[in-house]
């Protein structure tokens, strides 16, 4: 399948190293110890490819999207007390690999670390190599001090621009400009199973860094030959689709479903589709789902590498969940720079500014006031004192959560001031740029999910209106829901449909939007609006027969709903019900009571 030439009995020969690291979610199951045993606890995994173990290992760590830019060198060391180090090396946990780093920095030998952890000495030697090069080539240096040879060595060992920026006190894009000025650029290699012995017909790529080679000319002189990229020219219009990264609670296979259907739909429209993802468990990373596949981390650096290599006409960030959405504004800013303008690439679909307007509580409230749309009493808090004042004004109980999260991360229902103080201290990091959202808790309300489509001409069609079976306050990902709605009255349904269309137009949506409402005693409240694909898109598509992700992709490509024959809300031919599958058996000790944080 890969080469199109070698027989099935051909023994694969590979010139790359692949590293897979599981993704865990113990923070969702407080009370269950974060200890790995013979019972599987991971919720997903990330995979990375490089020319050596060190490179693929660091790429895999940053693919996990746990906040790490690699194996350390992105925050101060010394987070583990010396007295706790032995236990952290001995007990297998998701973070033990960082305890190995702390042990090496503390002067422990590889033999001593092996005796406690039983990690193979070969792996420890490779990790030691990463740390030695970081210490010798990077620590204590200014960015201007790093020449081409040092930067090339660092990049070949998988150091990200973020790590280099942190060590040199600069920023990620400054590192990028500096190394590119010195000729240190990513080159893309092909996964071909035969170490280039045969031509490969499958465009399945990964990034690496190589030294220029030397060639002897006819007159006997040595000539430098730049490192070769194996990406073949493509004459069709291209679209880059950003995937969702590793599965985790709150962001799973439903977003990959949207990416896959976007690829199929745009191929049918005549585009060459380019997929970028790091999740080996999904259909989007099958090499025949898109015209080209890049198995790379979903970070700004890695996405920019692919944009510069492919120069796609458009980039789609709406289908991969929160992961690509977080990149939307940085990508928009870079695409407006001279380097970005040179690529001719733009973001497709709803603009990042509109997405930010829906995420930013103050901007969203201004839109709701203008449209006269009712919402629960609420406020923003950037300190503990502000939180107490807002909660007193709103009235307990309140729902509290950080801004810019998916899956209800760190969301709780708080019933008094003591619980609120505990939440502000323990659950979230309160910063001016990351305020806490505090909302009135609507007890005994019915929650409603709406998925809608909107085109560039201003036409809006609701794809599905779902009534939750559990009451409002249970995360929508954990609640069962019914399509069509079962118990809501006609006036409430009419209000929900009208407000959905008003908000889609106000946010200038081009593609999909998901809205969540609560209905209590005949009064409708808007909870939130997300101008992106939602986890309910596959359910709605299967229940109604309307392929929402496919249609949204066509809208982003410039088509209209009228052209596609989608002019009215579909009427399901049956009663469809969605139910969640919950993993509490895997997490003994965790409280199985459902709440606003998705489990």
């Amino acid at each position: 399948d890969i080469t199109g030439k070698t027989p099935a009995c051909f023994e694969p020969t590979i010139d790359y190293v692949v590293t897979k690291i599981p993704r865990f979610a113990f923070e969702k199951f407080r009370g269950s110890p974060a200890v790995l045993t013979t019972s599987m606890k991971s919720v997903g995994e990330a995979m990375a490819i490089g020319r050596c173990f060190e490179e693929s290992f660091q790429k895999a760590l940053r693919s996990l999207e746990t906040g790490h830019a690699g194996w350390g060198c992105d925050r101060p060391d010394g987070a583990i007390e010396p007295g706790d180090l032995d236990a952290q090396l001995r007990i297998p946990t998701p973070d033990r690999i960082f305890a190995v780093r702390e042990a090496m920095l503390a002067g422990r030998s590889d033999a001593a670390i092996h005796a406690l952890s039983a990690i193979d000495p070969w792996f420890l030697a490779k990790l030691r190599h990463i740390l030695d090069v970081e210490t010798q080539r990077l620590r204590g240096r200014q960015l201007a001090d790093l020449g081409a040879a040092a930067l090339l060595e660092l990049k070949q060992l998988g150091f990200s621009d973020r790590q280099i920026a942190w060590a040199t006190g600069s920023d990620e894009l400054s590192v990028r400009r500096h190394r590119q000025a010195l000729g240190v650029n990513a080159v893309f290699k092909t996964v071909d199973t035969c170490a280039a012995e045969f031509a490969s017909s499958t465009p399945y790529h990964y990034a690496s860094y190589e030294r220029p080679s030397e060639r002897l000319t006819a007159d006997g002189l040595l000539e430098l030959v730049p490192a070769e990229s194996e990406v073949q020219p493509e004459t069709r219009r291209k679209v880059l689709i950003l995937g969702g990264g590793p599965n985790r609670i709150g962001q799973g296979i439903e977003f990959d479903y949207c990416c896959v259907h976007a690829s199929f739909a745009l191929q049918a429209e005549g585009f060459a589709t380019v997929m970028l993802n790091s999740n080996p468990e999904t259909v989007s990373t099958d090499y025949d789902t898109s015209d080209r596949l890049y198995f790379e981390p979903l970070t700004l650096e890695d996405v920019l590498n692919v944009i510069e290599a492919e120069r796609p006409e458009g980039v789609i960030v709406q289908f991969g969940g929160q992961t690509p959405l977080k990149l939307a504004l940085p990508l928009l800013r870079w695409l407006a720079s001279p380097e970005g303008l040179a690529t001719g690439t733009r973001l497709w679909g709803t603009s990042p500014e509109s997405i930010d307007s829906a995420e930013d509580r103050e901007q969203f409230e201004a839109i709701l006031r203008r449209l006269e749309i009712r919402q629960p009493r609420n406020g923003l808090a950037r300190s503990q004192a502000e939180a107490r004042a807002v909660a007193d004004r709103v009235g307990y109980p309140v729902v509290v959560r950080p801004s810019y999260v998916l899956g209800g991360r760190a969301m709780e229902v708080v019933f008094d001031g003591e619980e609120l103080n505990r939440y502000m201290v323990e659950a979230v990091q309160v910063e001016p740029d990351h305020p806490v959202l505090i909302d009135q808790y609507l007890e005994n309300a019915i929650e409603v999910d709406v998925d809608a489509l909107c085109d560039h001409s201003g036409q809006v069609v609701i794809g599905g209106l779902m009534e939750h079976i559990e009451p409002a306050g249970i995360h929508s990902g954990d609640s069962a829901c019914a399509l069509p709605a079962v118990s809501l009255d006609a006036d409430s349904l009419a209000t929900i449909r009208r407000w959905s269309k008003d908000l889609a137009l106000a946010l200038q949506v081009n593609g999909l939007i998901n809205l969540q409402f609560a209905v209590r005693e005949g009064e409708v409240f808007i909870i939130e609006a997300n101008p992106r694909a939602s986890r309910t898109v596959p359910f709605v598509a299967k229940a109604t027969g309307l392929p929402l992700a496919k249609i949204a992709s066509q809208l982003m490509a410039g088509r209209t709903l009228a052209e596609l024959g989608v002019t009215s809300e579909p009427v399901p031919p049956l009663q469809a019900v969605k139910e969640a599958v919950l993993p509490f058996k895997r997490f003994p000790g965790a409280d199985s009571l459902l709440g606003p944080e998705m489990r």
Side-chain angles (χ1 to χ4, degrees):
D1 284 354
I2 296 285
T3 65
K5 296 177 176 63
T6 53
C9 62
F10 179 82
E11 183 178 354
T13 305
I14 57 176
D15 53 0
Y16 49 84
V17 175
V18 178
T19 301
K20 183 203 78 168
I21 303 181
R23 177 71 149 81
F24 298 93
F26 286 103
E27 72 278 2
K28 296 277 189 177
F29 300 96
R30 289 184 289 275
S32 183
V35 176
L36 309 184
T37 66
T38 53
S39 177
M40 179 176 165
K41 305 285 182 69
S42 68
V43 294
E45 61 191 24
M47 185 181 109
I49 309 174
R51 286 298 211 191
C52 62
F53 170 76
E54 294 93 330
E55 181 181 27
S56 68
F57 170 70
Q58 293 221 76
K59 286 174 71 174
L61 277 177
R62 70 176 187 261
S63 297
L64 285 175
E65 296 169 37
T66 53
H68 292 282
W71 193 52
C73 197
D74 59 354
R75 66 199 67 193
D77 292 304
I80 302 174
E81 293 294 327
D84 297 333
L85 199 51
D86 283 8
Q88 295 215 21
L89 288 172
R90 187 179 292 113
I91 299 170
T93 67
D95 295 325
R96 179 163 66 161
I97 197 69
F98 295 100
V100 171
R101 176 184 171 88
E102 294 284 354
M104 289 181 175
L105 288 168
R108 304 280 186 99
S109 67
D110 290 0
I113 296 170
H114 169 71
L116 287 168
S117 67
I119 295 175
D120 192 281
W122 186 90
F123 290 108
L124 294 176
K126 294 296 182 182
L127 296 176
R128 178 79 66 179
H129 183 211
I130 294 173
L131 194 57
D132 287 346
V133 171
E134 176 191 329
T135 304
Q136 296 161 14
R137 295 275 192 271
L138 193 52
R139 288 301 183 97
R141 304 281 191 93
Q142 297 296 311
L143 182 58
D145 299 334
L146 297 177
L151 281 168
L152 181 61
E153 183 177 8
L154 290 166
K155 299 304 286 184
Q156 287 181 322
L157 293 179
F159 282 89
S160 64
D161 288 349
R162 270 181 59 202
Q163 287 173 290
I164 297 170
W166 185 85
T168 58
S170 57
D171 65 87
E172 183 177 6
L173 290 177
S174 295
V175 173
R176 183 180 187 85
R177 285 190 290 270
H178 178 65
R179 66 171 173 78
Q180 288 185 330
L182 295 174
V184 181
N185 291 300
V187 292
F188 287 97
K189 298 299 179 182
T190 301
V191 173
D192 59 9
T193 75
C194 62
E197 186 178 347
F198 301 93
S200 174
S201 60
T202 302
Y204 174 8
H205 303 296
Y206 65 95
S208 190
Y209 288 81
E210 291 187 346
R211 299 180 185 280
S213 56
E214 292 183 328
R215 179 172 61 192
L216 195 64
T217 63
D219 53 6
L221 299 175
L222 283 176
E223 178 184 55
L224 276 180
V225 180
E228 180 188 8
S229 179
E230 297 175 4
V231 176
Q232 298 300 312
E234 173 60 72
T235 56
R236 289 174 294 171
R237 298 165 68 191
K238 290 182 284 190
V239 179
L240 173 61
I241 302 168
L242 301 186
N247 291 347
R248 60 268 205 198
I249 295 172
Q251 184 164 315
I253 200 72
E254 57 272 13
F255 294 105
D256 195 73
Y257 166 98
C258 295
C259 293
V260 170
H261 279 258
S263 180
F264 293 157
L266 292 168
Q267 284 173 330
E269 294 285 319
F271 289 91
T273 57
V274 182
M275 188 73 68
L276 195 162
N277 205 353
S278 59
N279 187 342
E281 301 177 297
T282 57
V283 179
S284 69
T285 49
D286 286 353
Y287 53 80
D288 52 1
T289 294
S290 51
D291 293 289
R292 289 187 177 172
L293 168 64
Y294 286 87
F295 225 114
E296 289 291 290
L298 282 147
T299 68
L300 181 62
E301 173 187 348
D302 300 287
V303 173
L304 294 186
N305 287 342
V306 174
I307 289 175
E308 288 184 333
E310 289 285 356
R311 296 178 178 257
E313 180 178 320
V315 179
I316 294 177
V317 300
Q318 283 186 36
F319 289 146
Q322 202 71 15
T323 297
L325 283 184
K326 288 180 179 177
L327 295 174
L329 282 172
L331 278 174
L332 184 71
R333 287 192 288 266
W334 184 84
L335 290 171
S337 70
E339 301 95 329
L341 291 171
T343 66
T345 300
R346 61 185 180 86
L347 294 183
W348 275 17
T350 308
S351 72
E353 293 97 337
S354 291
I355 294 170
D356 193 55
S357 296
E359 292 270 12
D360 185 282
R361 179 55 61 94
E362 289 156 328
Q363 293 183 60
F364 188 55
E365 276 190 9
I367 294 171
L368 295 181
R369 281 195 299 271
R370 190 175 79 245
L371 297 175
E372 298 182 346
I373 292 176
R374 187 187 303 110
Q375 67 176 150
R377 295 188 300 274
N378 65 83
L380 277 173
R382 292 182 169 87
S383 67
Q384 290 189 45
E386 283 185 18
R388 288 192 294 271
V390 170
D392 288 340
R393 174 174 58 80
V394 168
Y396 291 99
V398 294
V399 180
V400 287
R401 66 183 173 99
S403 53
Y404 295 89
V405 296
L406 193 70
R409 176 74 187 97
M411 186 186 291
E412 288 187 24
V413 178
V414 168
F415 290 88
D416 56 41
E418 187 177 337
E419 283 189 25
L420 180 64
N421 289 338
R422 191 259 324 147
Y423 177 88
M424 297 296 287
V425 171
E426 296 178 6
V428 296
Q429 182 179 10
V430 185
E431 299 175 359
D433 294 334
H434 299 90
V436 170
L437 310 181
I438 301 175
D439 294 275
Q440 172 193 8
Y441 176 50
L442 299 171
E443 293 186 89
N444 301 315
I446 298 170
E447 191 165 338
V448 178
D449 250 297
V450 175
D451 283 319
L453 294 157
C454 185
D455 63 23
H456 64 83
S457 71
Q459 294 302 305
V460 182
V461 171
I462 290 174
L465 190 156
M466 295 148 276
E467 177 182 345
H468 288 211
I469 295 172
E470 279 79 16
I474 305 299
H475 191 277
S476 59
D478 290 346
S479 176
C481 69
L483 174 67
V486 176
S487 67
L488 296 173
D489 62 86
D491 288 345
S492 296
L493 291 172
T495 300
I496 289 169
R497 290 187 170 99
R498 185 176 71 254
W499 286 358
S500 296
K501 292 178 180 180
D502 290 347
L503 273 168
L505 293 174
L507 292 169
Q508 299 179 321
V509 170
N510 185 11
L512 279 164
I513 182 171
N514 172 260
L515 306 104
Q516 293 175 20
F517 298 90
V519 182
R520 187 177 69 175
E521 297 175 354
E523 277 194 318
V524 179
F525 298 83
I526 179 75
I527 298 175
E528 62 182 5
N530 298 296
R532 55 163 172 80
S534 73
R535 66 178 58 82
T536 51
V537 164
F539 169 64
V540 172
K542 290 173 171 61
T544 64
L546 190 69
L548 296 184
K550 173 184 176 181
I551 295 167
S553 305
Q554 293 170 311
L555 299 182
M556 292 182 201
R559 303 286 293 276
T560 66
L561 288 165
E563 289 173 6
L564 298 172
V566 181
T567 56
S568 61
E569 181 179 345
V571 179
L574 39 76
Q575 180 68 57
V577 177
K578 173 183 77 75
E579 177 60 293
V581 178
L582 298 160
F584 289 108
K585 285 184 179 179
R586 297 280 181 180
F587 299 94
D591 188 352
S592 59
L593 188 67
L594 300 180
E597 180 167 1
M598 185 174 169
R599 315 289 284 281

